[in-house]
């Protein structure tokens, strides 16, 4: 039995993801700043946050909001300066909050000095730092791979007379990890941030770093005649050798954690990726987000799903990390629509839905990752036209949907439902103009509901989603079984109730969450001898859950 106090700090804490462009603007420019994050550290501490994942804030042309890095050792001027970052790291540490940097190592910006040099000729010192290939004899791209953001994954470069590969946007050329100089340069960057005192790393798009030995066309799966680059390059044999080296060079010997973003790794492969023999401490795998969105990149095709599909995905990830490794629990991040919309096959109040998900997130086994605004119970934003979206992927997917034969209305509806911009609207701090996010017009419109859904209003409401998050965070911190306890699923076949038990020695806690908007009954003996520790709709009744009610017993 592992005792809670024997676990690493990052297993015992709550992690929070900040999308800095949308968190808080201290300069009246319409985009967020690092100083804005520093200003809100007390707010985060009150949520029990001990690790703060900041999406990329390095110097960048911002084609993909920082995931196109120009210089990994500089802060983008729109966010502030390196002194602001040092200040954030130091002030965070005073409150027990450690910064987690986002390492975008599959690709750089096309404006990164490495790429500028690499594309200049076939014979420069960095000629081999990216993935260059000759055209097919007819001049077309080397393969028919479709980039994740849509269109060919190859871009022609006049200067070299060759194509380069980009898994994402054409402004995000893929690095060549086969070249040891590239790997060394990346490890040096990571160690620069270790030396600054960060608490860990989230490693972006890491499953794409190993390319197959032979580049071949694949069978087209869309009207554009292309084949998904993901199918050709994700999680290829040999990738773990690179990552073991990465771990040795960066992680070993430091009290930090690394969580990889691992689209393409299945739950049953997790033991090679995390834990004693693995390469990361935790891995974001996406089997549960694939339930409502579909596993394909082509999300404009409708998906039908039931609660047991979601439960099976979550249970698989739990079981895969039960004895080896650790799970980063999440329902939201900056690439997902809001969870209150995404994870419910029924209608019902968003606040109730947000509380149901919070109960699961904060009592399950693993480190909970809360995404900014999730603790207020946001829904998706209201978008009226494709022109309102900023996200490079949303625009590409809209075009793709049209190419697939959807009319404009249906293509827009798919974007409204699934766009990543749903998660990126400005944080709602109060009911003043622009929700207290900025003194100037924000880069993305503030959600319509900001006058009622904001931090200031929820801080004074004992029944708010925010108050529920804080209560659950405090509960988690006070109950070792919620951190270190074993996890076992209850009521696996129930289509309304998601339920599990956490057990540590004699201590036991049971979470029951009704995902339906109908009353649900369950065998009351499951909670025999237990008392309610947290209940989302007032005094609970053993054996019955009200519509969209969650109760933690212990
Ligand atoms: C990851 C990020 C996403 C980004 C992509 C390319 O999936 O989470 O936001 O667009 O990588 O870097």
């Amino acid at each position: 039995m592992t005792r809670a106090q024997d676990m690493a700090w990052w297993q015992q804490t709550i992690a929070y993801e900040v999308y800095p462009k949308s968190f808080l603007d201290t300069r009246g420019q319409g985009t967020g700043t690092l100083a804005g994050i520093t200003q809100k550290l007390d707010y985060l501490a009150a949520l029990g946050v001990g690790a703060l994942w900041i999406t990329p804030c390095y110097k960048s042309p911002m084609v993909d909001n920082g995931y196109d890095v120009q210089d990994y050792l500089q802060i983008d001027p729109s966010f502030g300066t390196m002194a602001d970052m040092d200040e954030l790291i130091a002030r965070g540490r005073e409150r027990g909050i450690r910064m987690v940097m986002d390492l975008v190592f599959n690709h750089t910006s096309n404006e990164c000095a490495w790429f500028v040099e690499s594309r200049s000729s076939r014979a420069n010192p960095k000629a081999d730092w990216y993935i260059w290939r000759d055209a097919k004899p007819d001049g077309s791209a080397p393969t028919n791979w479709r980039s994740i953001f849509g269109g060919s994954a190859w871009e022609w470069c006049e200067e070299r007379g060759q194509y380069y590969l980009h898994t994402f946007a054409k402004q995000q050329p893929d690095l060549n990890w086969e070249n040891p100089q590239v790997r060394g340069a990346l490890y040096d960057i990571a160690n620069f941030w270790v030396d600054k005192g960060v608490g860990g790393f989230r490693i972006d798009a890491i499953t794409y770093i190993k390319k197959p030995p032979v580049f071949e066309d694949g069978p087209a799966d869309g009207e554009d005649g292309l084949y998904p680059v993901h199918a050709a390059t994700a999680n290829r044999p040999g990738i773990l050798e690179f990552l073991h080296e990465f771990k040795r060079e960066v992680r070993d010997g430091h009290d930090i954690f690394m969580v990889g973003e691992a689209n393409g790794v299945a739950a049953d492969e997790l033991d090679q990726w995390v834990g004693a023999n693995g390469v990361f401490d935790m891995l974001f795998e996406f089997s549960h987000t694939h339930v409502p969105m579909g596993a394909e990149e082509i999300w404009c095709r409708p998906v039908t799903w039931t609660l047991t599909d979601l439960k099976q995905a979550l249970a698989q990830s739990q079981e895969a990390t039960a004895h080896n490794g650790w799970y980063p629990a999440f329902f939201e991040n900056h690439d997902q629509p809001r969870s209150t919309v995404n994870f419910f096959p029924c209608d019902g109040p968003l606040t109730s839905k947000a509380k149901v998900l919070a109960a699961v997130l904060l009592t399950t086994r693993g480190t909970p990752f809360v995404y900014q605004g999730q603790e207020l119970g946001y829904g998706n934003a209201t978008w009226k036209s494709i022109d309102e979206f900023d996200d490079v992927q949303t625009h590409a997917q809209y075009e793709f949907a049209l190419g697939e034969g959807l009319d404009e209305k249906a293509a827009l509806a798919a974007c409204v439902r699934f766009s990543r911009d749903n998660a990126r609207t400005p944080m709602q701090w109060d009911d003043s103009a622009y929700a207290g996010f900025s003194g100037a017009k924000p880069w993305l419109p503030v959600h319509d509901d900001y006058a009622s859904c904001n931090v200031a209003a929820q801080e004074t409401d004992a029944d708010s989603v925010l108050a529920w998050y804080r209560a659950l965070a405090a509960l988690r911190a006070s109950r070792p079984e919620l951190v270190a306890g074993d996890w076992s699923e209850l009521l696996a076949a129930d289509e309304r109730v998601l339920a599990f038990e956490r057990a540590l020695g004699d201590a036991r806690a049971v979470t029951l969450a009704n995902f339906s908007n109908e009353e649900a009954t369950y065998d009351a003996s499951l909670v025999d001898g237990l008392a309610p520790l947290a209940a989302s709709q007032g005094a609970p009744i053993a054996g019955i859950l009200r519509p969209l009610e969650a109760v933690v017993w212990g």
Side-chain angles (χ1 to χ4, degrees):
M1 181 175 91
T2 318
R3 295 179 314 163
Q5 62 267 36
D6 295 336
M7 304 182 92
W9 67 271
W10 45 266
Q11 294 177 297
Q12 300 180 51
T13 197
I14 293 172
Y16 187 96
E17 181 190 352
V18 166
Y19 200 68
K21 194 168 179 181
S22 298
F23 194 61
L24 180 64
D25 170 17
T26 48
R27 289 193 193 152
Q29 60 189 15
T31 57
T33 58
L34 293 181
I37 306 175
T38 307
Q39 201 170 306
K40 293 296 178 185
L41 285 169
D42 287 335
Y43 168 78
L44 296 167
L47 266 175
V49 171
L52 197 65
W53 160 20
I54 308 169
T55 62
C57 52
Y58 318 102
K59 188 164 186 230
S60 164
M62 299 286 167
V63 169
D64 189 16
N65 286 334
Y67 282 95
D68 45 325
V69 181
Q70 186 173 355
D71 186 339
Y72 298 86
L73 305 182
Q74 280 191 57
I75 298 299
D76 192 81
S78 69
F79 293 123
T81 60
M82 191 58 88
D84 293 335
M85 177 52 89
D86 292 338
E87 175 80 2
L88 175 57
I89 294 171
R91 298 288 87 79
R93 273 190 175 261
E94 287 168 9
R95 292 165 177 83
I97 302 178
R98 301 184 64 183
M99 301 307 138
V100 175
M101 300 303 280
D102 205 321
L103 295 181
V104 188
F105 280 178
N106 174 67
H107 47 268
T108 68
S109 160
N110 61 337
E111 292 184 32
C112 174
W114 299 346
F115 186 73
V116 171
E117 189 174 343
S118 189
R119 77 164 174 228
S120 65
S121 71
R122 295 190 192 196
N124 66 75
K126 295 200 169 50
D128 189 29
W129 277 44
Y130 292 82
I131 314 281
W132 295 99
R133 288 288 185 282
D134 293 336
K136 280 183 181 163
D138 66 357
S140 64
T143 65
N144 69 342
W145 300 346
R146 179 193 309 114
S147 82
I148 289 182
F149 289 168
S152 172
W154 295 98
E155 183 70 11
W156 177 250
C157 171
E158 206 55 57
E159 283 157 288
R160 280 185 60 137
Q162 280 185 311
Y163 283 92
Y164 66 85
L165 181 70
H166 56 91
T167 298
F168 295 90
K170 65 173 186 238
Q171 297 89 345
Q172 294 168 300
D174 280 40
L175 284 161
N176 177 16
W177 273 67
E178 301 296 336
N179 182 330
Q181 287 177 347
V182 170
R183 303 201 301 275
L186 296 174
Y187 306 150
D188 286 349
I189 288 163
N191 281 315
F192 168 88
W193 289 103
V194 171
D195 293 344
K196 283 231 170 247
V198 302
F201 297 112
R202 180 262 188 185
I203 324 277
D204 185 66
I206 199 66
T207 38
Y208 300 108
I209 59 171
K210 180 83 187 179
K211 313 302 185 213
V214 181
F215 287 15
E216 289 170 326
D217 284 354
D221 73 344
E223 296 298 318
D224 58 4
L226 301 180
Y227 175 70
V229 67
H230 176 92
T233 66
N235 192 9
R236 304 300 303 194
I239 187 169
L240 289 168
E241 280 158 42
F242 286 155
L243 293 176
H244 276 290
E245 181 185 76
F246 187 175
K247 178 170 182 262
R248 276 197 306 277
E249 298 288 330
V250 177
R251 166 75 177 83
D252 286 355
H254 297 113
D255 185 20
I256 61 170
F257 73 87
M258 300 211 297
V259 54
E261 187 204 26
N263 220 338
V265 177
D268 61 6
E269 295 171 288
L270 278 177
D271 60 344
Q272 295 170 49
W273 285 76
V274 293
N277 304 316
V279 289
F280 292 124
D281 299 291
M282 298 182 268
L283 205 68
F284 289 121
E285 47 93 12
F286 293 89
S287 47
H288 65 299
T289 65
H290 288 155
V291 171
M293 300 183 78
E296 301 185 46
E297 300 154 45
I298 302 164
W299 47 235
C300 58
R301 293 179 186 151
V303 175
T304 49
W305 61 280
T306 61
L307 184 65
T308 47
D309 298 329
L310 178 64
K311 285 164 55 166
Q312 270 165 24
L314 291 169
Q316 255 179 31
S317 311
Q318 281 295 339
E319 277 147 23
T321 49
H323 305 293
N324 184 30
W326 193 246
Y327 181 64
F330 76 100
F331 289 114
E332 288 194 13
N333 65 31
H334 64 286
D335 294 329
Q336 308 285 326
R338 290 294 183 175
S339 56
T340 47
V341 178
N342 212 16
F343 289 106
F344 291 87
C346 66
D347 295 331
L350 294 183
T351 49
S352 307
K353 292 178 171 179
K355 288 180 181 180
V356 163
L357 287 170
V360 176
L361 181 69
L362 291 166
T363 64
T364 202
R365 183 175 181 275
T367 300
F369 278 74
V370 179
Y371 177 70
Q372 71 182 41
Q374 185 178 352
E375 74 277 21
L376 303 179
Y378 283 0
N380 280 348
T382 31
W383 310 96
K384 295 191 180 60
S385 120
I386 187 65
D387 301 330
E388 289 179 339
F389 293 94
D390 172 87
D391 175 30
V392 57
Q393 182 179 31
T394 305
H395 284 279
Q397 290 190 300
Y398 179 77
E399 292 304 321
F400 184 82
L402 294 178
E404 288 292 293
L406 274 72
D407 62 22
E408 285 180 8
K409 200 170 156 220
L412 179 64
C415 295
V416 169
R417 167 69 178 82
F418 289 114
S419 171
R420 311 195 295 180
D421 275 347
N422 284 306
R424 300 176 180 185
T425 59
M427 182 76 178
Q428 293 161 206
W429 295 105
D430 58 38
D431 63 2
S432 66
Y434 307 133
F437 160 72
S438 172
K441 187 168 185 244
W443 70 283
L444 263 192
V446 176
H447 195 306
D448 286 351
D449 69 1
Y450 81 93
S452 56
C453 180
N454 62 64
V455 172
Q458 296 203 13
E459 279 193 315
T460 56
D461 175 0
D463 196 33
S464 65
V465 178
L466 180 60
W468 176 245
Y469 263 89
R470 287 180 177 172
L472 288 167
L475 180 66
R476 182 182 179 88
S478 69
R479 292 262 165 175
E481 67 272 26
L482 292 180
V483 175
D486 290 340
W487 181 98
S488 48
E489 187 170 21
L490 304 171
L491 309 174
D494 196 303
E495 280 294 357
R496 290 182 187 157
V497 181
L498 184 156
F500 53 85
E501 180 188 80
R502 304 294 310 281
L504 185 71
D506 294 337
R508 202 162 80 86
V510 171
T511 298
L512 290 148
N514 184 358
F515 275 68
S516 82
N517 55 10
E518 291 161 24
E519 186 175 285
T521 53
Y522 61 92
D523 178 357
S525 70
L526 282 182
V527 297
D528 259 0
L530 303 179
L533 302 176
S536 72
Q537 295 182 27
I541 312 158
I544 298 178
L545 283 165
R546 302 175 182 103
L548 295 168
E549 182 183 32
V551 184
V552 184
W553 300 79

